[in-house]
Amino acid sequence: MFANSPCASNFGDPRDINFCAPLKQLFDEHPSLLEKMDEFNKMVISFENGDTKTNWGEAITLLHEKLTVFVAELEPHSDREEDILFEMMVKHIGREGGPIAVMEYEHDTAKKNLKEFFTKVVKITQDHELVTKEKAFELFNHAKIVYTTLTDHFMKEEQILFPMAEKMLSNEEKKELAEKFRQMA
């Protein structure tokens, strides 16, 4: 978030906000997810900039492994946001055209690209297809979209959505949020 953004001045530095436990949990889950995203993005860049002798099938297998680990951590985080936090916030700000609509769109974009990546890898594996450079780059593109979408998405959550939720949710709603998070564990 840029310092001159109107949103930045409304909420301040999110690290200075005393978030309720469930919002802090979501906030604190981002660094590990960002680290995994950085790993697979660096891998993609390395493969794309590598020499022409790259074994593209092996590259896709390695990327598949990284994305599998990432998704295992991402899914419960995403479920807590979509199924609990977003739904609680919708009661206050609605869904259409506001921050929840943007957050859901970005979640959908990331999920769609992850699904396409995994579906295509399964098909390649089942059909024993040779992974050409072109196929590999198509698969890399899905990973890059996930990376760029979620990197920006997490920043918006930290700078705007989580502080907004902290301000708007009542103490009762925060207790309900915490209880629902415990039930999902």
Side-chain angles (χ1 to χ4, degrees):
M1 181 63 49
F2 299 105
N4 61 354
S5 166
C7 293
S9 63
N10 286 339
F11 299 116
D13 187 335
R15 293 169 295 192
D16 296 336
I17 296 172
N18 187 20
F19 287 114
C20 65
L23 292 174
K24 179 155 180 34
Q25 177 184 345
L26 292 172
F27 190 94
D28 290 347
E29 289 170 350
H30 283 180
S32 176
L33 289 165
L34 286 163
E35 182 180 307
K36 286 174 179 59
M37 288 172 19
D38 194 45
E39 287 175 12
F40 74 69
N41 190 57
K42 284 180 180 174
M43 180 182 282
V44 166
I45 291 167
S46 170
F47 290 144
E48 287 180 333
N49 294 333
D51 65 55
T52 56
K53 295 179 185 172
T54 299
N55 178 332
W56 298 111
E58 185 178 307
I60 294 307
T61 298
L62 292 171
L63 181 58
H64 181 272
E65 290 170 4
K66 288 277 187 203
L67 285 173
T68 299
V69 170
F70 170 69
V71 167
E73 187 174 332
L74 177 68
E75 282 181 344
H77 174 84
S78 178
D79 290 347
R80 282 188 288 278
E81 289 178 346
E82 290 175 11
D83 298 341
I84 303 171
L85 178 62
F86 293 178
E87 292 307 314
M88 289 184 94
M89 292 182 74
V90 162
K91 295 174 189 173
H92 293 274
I93 59 174
R95 176 170 267 117
E96 303 305 314
I100 299 302
V102 172
M103 296 292 112
E104 289 178 331
Y105 173 78
E106 291 171 351
H107 276 210
D108 291 346
T109 298
K111 285 180 181 180
K112 175 183 162 235
N113 279 278
L114 287 165
K115 182 179 179 185
E116 288 184 32
F117 174 87
F118 286 112
T119 299
K120 289 174 183 177
V121 170
V122 165
K123 182 174 177 357
I124 288 168
T125 303
Q126 287 175 343
D127 295 347
H128 305 289
E129 291 180 34
L130 175 67
V131 180
T132 63
K133 182 177 181 177
E134 292 73 25
K135 281 184 189 175
F137 275 58
E138 178 184 330
L139 290 164
F140 295 159
N141 192 52
H142 291 299
K144 292 188 325 188
I145 291 169
V146 170
Y147 174 81
T148 55
T149 300
L150 291 182
T151 301
D152 185 54
H153 175 82
F154 288 171
M155 185 266 309
K156 289 178 199 168
E157 286 180 337
E158 293 172 7
Q159 296 287 328
I160 300 166
L161 192 76
F162 297 162
M164 181 186 290
E166 183 61 42
K167 279 189 165 191
M168 83 170 46
L169 297 177
S170 69
N171 287 336
E172 274 306 306
E173 288 171 313
K174 290 175 186 174
K175 287 177 188 173
E176 181 183 344
L177 188 65
E179 180 56 32
K180 287 183 176 183
F181 273 32
R182 273 192 289 281
Q183 292 171 0
M184 284 187 92

